[in-house]
């Protein structure tokens, strides 16, 4: 099965992420799943969001295993602090992760503080998505059609 | 688990290269990175030890011309092959849509191949998946080395399920068998996606290979 984000879901997620971005003064707010797929992104920095999703999911998955080793259910959040940039990862639900990238000018306390209500809102939206109609039964649905391109992946020209 | 974003008109799939240590999983990604159109791929990122053994995973996103009206992204991952990193392999397998199992063709590596394949099945079961339903192909790598098992023997050892999977003899360092395996697993992933999500079967058309 695929995880499906309808247009109206994207709009709801965007609203929450934009508000979080403004309040926390972060550079980027990104939502990804535990498999490393990027679900939503808001922000202006030029980091590769797909790579951040893959690495973020990996880091958080590893920290979850560490938590289990220590007898915790999970570490609900992970913070990596650098001199100029920092990254804050927080579980939204069992399969989804909020990643916030922020600069030295932002306050880590505010990042943590404002992430709490945002995570609540995101959790509700994701729950609604999971209970929503399957793909094919919504206004966004059009049948998927495989491309007739002869090459699936285009190779570098010699 | 594939991911569809209707607003961005984007579909994401996850393909994992699995196999024993030093079988050539990272080499597959390096060759794809080298040969594919740079506009169709992102950077190849490796989390490796100082000795260039994969510690967590390698990662590279590809953009394909696959589904009309959608940007189709295939996120390629490798797992660390060394036995002790099983927990890491489980993490990387999360949400997988397709697997390329890379086997080392050398006689001396046959037991490791079999153990790694069994480990793949076991780890998939832990996340409720099975090779019976998960798109996957086999790649018999290092065919250029002197002491290699015949392909039919490798088929007997690794490809003996009720349904025979596509398999490809390969020399990953030269690119032989690399795109063949990638294309086949990608095509299988797409077809499974179409079957699950397309209500109108007439919309499904044949997809040509590279």
């Amino acid at each position: 099965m695929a995880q499906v984000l309808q247009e109206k879901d994207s709009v709801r997620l965007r609203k929450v992420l934009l508000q979080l971005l403004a309040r926390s003064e972060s550079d980027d707010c990104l939502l990804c799943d535990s498999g490393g797929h990027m679900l939503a992104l808001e922000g202006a920095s030029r980091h590769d969001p797909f790579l951040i999703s893959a690495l973020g999911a990996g880091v958080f998955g590893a920290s979850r295993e560490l938590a289990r080793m220590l007898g915790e259910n999970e570490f609900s959040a992970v913070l990596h602090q650098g001199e100029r940039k920092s990254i804050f990862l927080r579980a939204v639900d069992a399969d989804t992760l909020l990643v916030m990238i922020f600069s030295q000018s932002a306050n880590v306390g505010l990042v943590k503080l404002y992430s709490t209500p945002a995570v609540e809102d995101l959790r509700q939206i994701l729950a609604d998505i999971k209970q929503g109609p399957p793909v094919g039964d919504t206004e966004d649905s059009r049948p998927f059609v495989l491309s007739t391109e002869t090459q699936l992946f285009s190779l570098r020209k010699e | 688990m594939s991911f569809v974003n209707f607003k961005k008109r984007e579909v994401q799939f996850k393909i994992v290269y699995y196999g024993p240590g030093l079988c050539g999983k990272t080499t597959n990604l390096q060759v794809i990175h080298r040969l594919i159109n740079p506009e169709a791929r992102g950077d190849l990122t490796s989390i490796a030890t100082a000795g260039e053994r994969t510690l967590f995973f390698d990662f590279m996103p590809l953009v394909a011309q696959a589904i009309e009206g959608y940007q189709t992204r295939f996120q390629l991952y490798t797992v660390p092959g060394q036995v002790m990193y099983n927990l890491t392999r489980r993490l990387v397998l999360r949400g997988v849509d397709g697997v390329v199992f890379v086997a080392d063709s050398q006689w001396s590596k046959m037991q490791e191949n079999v153990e790694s394949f069994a480990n793949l099945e076991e780890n998939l079961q832990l996340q409720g998946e099975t090779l019976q339903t998960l798109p996957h192909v086999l790649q018999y790598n290092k065919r250029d080395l002197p002491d290699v098992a015949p392909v039919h023997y490798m088929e007997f050892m690794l490809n003996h399920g009720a349904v025979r999977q596509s398999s490809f003899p390969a020399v990953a360092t030269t690119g032989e068998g690399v795109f063949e395996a990638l294309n086949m697993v990608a095509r299988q992933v797409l077809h499974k996606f179409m079957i699950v999500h397309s209500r109108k079967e007439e919309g499904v058309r044949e997809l040509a290979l590279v």
Side-chain angles (χ1 to χ4, degrees):
Chain A
M1 280 296 288
Q3 184 159 5
V4 177
L5 214 57
Q6 306 287 354
E7 192 154 349
K8 62 180 170 52
D9 305 324
S10 293
V11 171
R12 289 178 71 193
L13 291 175
R14 182 163 194 258
K15 193 176 164 192
V16 176
L17 293 182
L18 279 175
Q19 192 176 48
L20 177 60
L21 203 63
R23 283 177 169 177
S24 65
E25 299 177 355
S26 300
D27 299 342
D28 291 292
C29 291
L30 182 153
L31 206 61
C32 67
D33 70 11
S34 59
H37 292 310
M38 189 194 72
L39 275 59
L41 165 75
E42 294 302 332
S45 72
R46 278 176 269 163
H47 309 292
D48 178 352
F50 295 98
L51 181 56
I52 291 171
S53 297
L55 294 172
V59 163
F60 205 76
S63 88
R64 233 173 213 163
E65 294 302 331
L66 280 170
R68 280 184 196 144
M69 276 175 60
L70 299 179
E72 291 286 329
N73 274 340
E74 66 172 17
F75 297 136
S76 59
V78 176
L79 173 67
H80 295 290
Q81 262 184 304
E83 281 185 22
R84 289 176 294 114
K85 297 274 182 181
S86 299
I87 189 161
F88 180 66
L89 305 102
R90 183 161 181 172
V92 177
D93 61 24
D95 290 319
T96 318
L97 185 63
L98 171 67
V99 181
M100 299 170 71
I101 298 170
F102 56 98
S103 307
Q104 202 183 20
S105 56
N107 184 314
V108 66
L110 290 180
V111 168
K112 288 181 178 177
L113 178 71
Y114 286 121
S115 73
T116 302
V119 160
E120 290 298 321
D121 292 343
L122 292 170
R123 194 177 291 142
Q124 184 57 53
I125 296 169
L126 292 169
D128 293 345
I129 292 170
K130 279 177 186 161
Q131 288 172 356
V135 63
D137 291 350
T138 68
E139 70 277 12
D140 287 339
S141 311
R142 292 169 205 95
F144 292 108
V145 177
L146 287 183
S147 166
T148 52
E149 287 285 338
T150 53
Q151 289 194 338
L152 190 52
F153 299 105
S154 61
L155 300 187
R156 185 194 292 267
K157 291 181 179 66
E158 294 299 330
Chain B
M1 185 171 63
S2 50
F3 172 66
V4 184
N5 187 329
F6 279 105
K7 188 167 194 293
K8 290 179 71 183
R9 314 298 292 173
E10 184 178 87
V11 184
Q12 295 175 41
F13 299 105
K14 180 173 184 176
I15 292 175
V16 174
Y17 282 71
Y18 208 95
L22 296 173
C23 67
K25 300 177 289 295
T26 300
T27 306
N28 264 272
L29 260 62
Q30 288 169 338
V31 167
I32 293 166
H33 185 264
R34 197 174 71 226
L35 296 180
I36 210 160
N37 184 349
E39 290 170 7
R41 57 136 169 94
D43 292 337
L44 171 58
T45 302
S46 296
I47 306 177
T49 65
E52 296 193 359
R53 299 291 303 270
T54 302
L55 180 65
F56 204 145
F57 57 72
D58 306 299
F59 170 78
M60 181 171 60
L62 298 181
V63 178
Q65 301 145 12
I67 300 174
E68 283 184 6
Y70 288 81
Q71 187 169 56
T72 314
R73 288 182 171 274
F74 288 91
Q75 322 276 41
L76 306 190
Y77 290 75
T78 68
V79 296
Q82 296 176 81
V83 175
M84 61 184 169
Y85 295 137
N86 194 40
L87 212 50
T88 312
R89 281 192 290 280
R90 284 184 201 161
L91 288 177
V92 178
L93 271 181
R94 275 191 191 158
V96 65
D97 294 298
V99 169
V100 177
F101 184 82
V102 183
D104 189 325
S105 296
Q106 296 175 93
W107 280 111
S108 59
K109 299 288 184 178
M110 214 50 62
Q111 188 176 344
E112 285 179 47
N113 290 330
V114 172
E115 286 171 359
S116 177
F117 197 78
N119 174 255
L120 168 62
E121 288 182 302
E122 190 182 313
N123 284 338
L124 285 173
Q125 277 173 13
L126 288 173
Q127 61 177 45
E129 277 280 5
T130 160
L131 282 176
Q132 267 78 54
T133 52
L134 183 75
H136 67 285
V137 300
L138 295 110
Q139 184 193 65
Y140 304 139
N141 194 21
K142 307 194 184 185
R143 301 304 303 172
D144 57 331
L145 295 185
D147 191 27
V148 296
V151 167
H152 65 82
Y153 182 78
M154 299 198 68
E155 291 278 274
F156 172 71
M157 296 300 284
L158 299 168
N159 198 6
H160 50 247
V163 178
R164 290 279 284 273
Q165 301 300 322
S166 299
S167 60
F168 302 91
V171 182
T173 47
T174 67
E176 183 186 331
V178 170
F179 277 96
E180 290 86 342
L182 172 63
N183 272 296
M184 183 54 79
V185 77
R187 195 169 74 146
Q188 288 184 15
V189 165
L190 285 167
H191 276 267
K192 184 178 177 188
F193 177 80
M194 298 300 283
I195 288 166
V196 172
H197 294 288
S198 284
R199 293 191 302 175
K200 294 180 180 174
E201 283 297 314
E202 64 269 23
V204 181
R205 285 185 244 156
E206 272 305 308
L207 186 74
L209 292 173
V210 167

